Amino acid sequence: MSGVKRVKAANLFPLVSDLLEKGQSVRLSVSGDSMYPFLRDGVDSVEFSVGTFENLKRGDTVLIRRTNGYYVMHRVCRKKADCFYMVGDAQQWIEGPLYPEQLIAVVSAIWRKDHCIPCSKWWLKLLANIWLTLRPCRYFILRVYRKLRKIF
């Protein structure tokens, strides 16, 4: 992979936070498989924009900073008056409560190759909410999906 340099998130995300505070959006490559099948490691990238706790909705993909300093991007599965909960698309474990001050950004678009998919698309929101509802069955769905991909 010429021209691509991997950088630890701990070093990169403070810069991302600064750019977001200045009103800019930031596009980064996806790393890891926790958001599979919606986001693919090394294939997709996401565009982060500034987000507010008040505007968070079930199905939004967010970047947060954990209390231990680690950054993670997952999908909001539940929101309460003062906190929210999230889960990776390839995971079943729900993380939370998370608080407004932990929210760094919201994913506003997904880039697959050179094609931009705005997260505001109705069909993407629908798929995300269906996938959240299927959380108890995800493990089995993904196992079948991966086996079928190998066959075809």
Side-chain angles (χ1 to χ4, degrees):
M1 250 193 231
S2 64
V4 174
K5 182 176 181 179
R6 290 199 174 249
V7 178
K8 288 188 178 273
N11 298 331
L12 184 63
F13 284 121
L15 175 61
V16 169
S17 294
D18 288 344
L19 291 170
L20 291 167
E21 285 175 14
K22 293 177 182 171
Q24 297 181 21
S25 61
V26 178
R27 183 174 161 186
L28 295 174
S29 294
V30 172
S31 64
D33 291 321
S34 69
M35 290 299 289
Y36 184 84
F38 281 82
L39 300 173
R40 296 176 297 174
D41 177 38
V43 175
D44 299 328
S45 60
V46 293
E47 187 172 307
F48 292 111
S49 298
V50 71
T52 63
F53 175 76
E54 294 75 27
N55 293 332
L56 274 190
K57 294 178 197 67
R58 174 182 161 92
D60 287 347
T61 303
V62 296
L63 175 68
I64 63 107
R65 185 168 189 246
R66 291 178 172 150
T67 54
N68 64 7
Y70 288 107
Y71 293 84
V72 68
M73 177 184 67
H74 283 157
R75 190 175 306 281
V76 174
C77 62
R78 189 176 343 138
K79 182 182 172 192
K80 293 186 175 183
D82 62 342
C83 64
F84 64 99
Y85 297 80
M86 65 182 197
V87 63
D89 287 341
Q91 300 175 331
Q92 294 197 3
W93 176 69
I94 294 174
E95 182 173 357
L98 300 160
Y99 298 97
E101 59 272 11
Q102 291 179 267
L103 178 65
I104 304 296
V106 175
V107 174
S108 55
I110 299 166
W111 289 82
R112 184 152 293 156
K113 298 182 181 168
D114 290 329
H115 183 70
C116 178
I117 307 166
C119 290
S120 59
K121 294 279 189 184
W122 69 269
W123 56 266
L124 188 59
K125 289 180 179 185
L126 176 65
L127 287 174
N129 277 293
I130 290 170
W131 193 244
L132 282 169
T133 303
L134 292 172
R135 186 181 59 81
C137 309
R138 285 182 188 171
Y139 175 76
F140 301 106
I141 293 168
L142 288 172
R143 273 184 56 184
V144 169
Y145 175 73
R146 286 183 176 127
K147 284 183 182 187
L148 289 173
R149 281 193 62 157
K150 285 180 183 178
I151 293 170
F152 299 106

